[in-house]
Amino acid sequence: MPDVEIKVRDDGPYKVTGPVRLIDAAGEEFAVEDDRPIALCRCGRSRTKPFCDASHKTGFESCPRASGLPARDT
Ligand code: FES
């Protein structure tokens, strides 16, 4: 079992579970709690990027599957 799991949530963020360092383009580290999952914005609408602030609930739709098969009819 890997130490880090990244789950692509339907119509929502990437949920990252496990010990990670989250750094910006300048190499500065974001403060994250070691024992709590973090949600990273996948929709581009968050005002607290790179973190999800639930803005995706205003209409973001994306449900990719590792199999390549669609998750739902569009
Ligand atoms: S995925 Fe939640 S605000 Fe972008």
Side-chain angles (χ1 to χ4, degrees), residues 12-13 41-46 52-56:
C41 180
R42 191 165 70 90
C43 74
R45 295 178 181 162
S46 175
C52 170
D53 71 355
S55 294
H56 60 268

Side-chain angles (χ1 to χ4, degrees), residues 5-7 30 37 46-47 64 71:
E5 177 181 272
I6 303 172
K7 183 174 185 177
F30 290 92
S46 175
R47 287 162 291 189

Side-chain angles (χ1 to χ4, degrees), residues 12-72:
Y14 296 110
K15 180 182 175 187
V16 181
T17 305
V20 296
R21 289 180 61 230
L22 181 61
I23 59 173
D24 65 18
E28 299 283 330
E29 192 165 341
F30 290 92
V32 295
E33 296 180 38
D34 289 341
D35 56 344
R36 296 195 59 197
I38 57 174
L40 299 178
C41 180
R42 191 165 70 90
C43 74
R45 295 178 181 162
S46 175
R47 287 162 291 189
T48 60
K49 293 182 189 80
F51 302 101
C52 170
D53 71 355
S55 294
H56 60 268
K57 293 182 179 179
T58 60
F60 177 64
E61 293 183 7
S62 176
C63 302
R65 292 294 183 264
S67 67
L69 298 174
R72 62 169 87 126

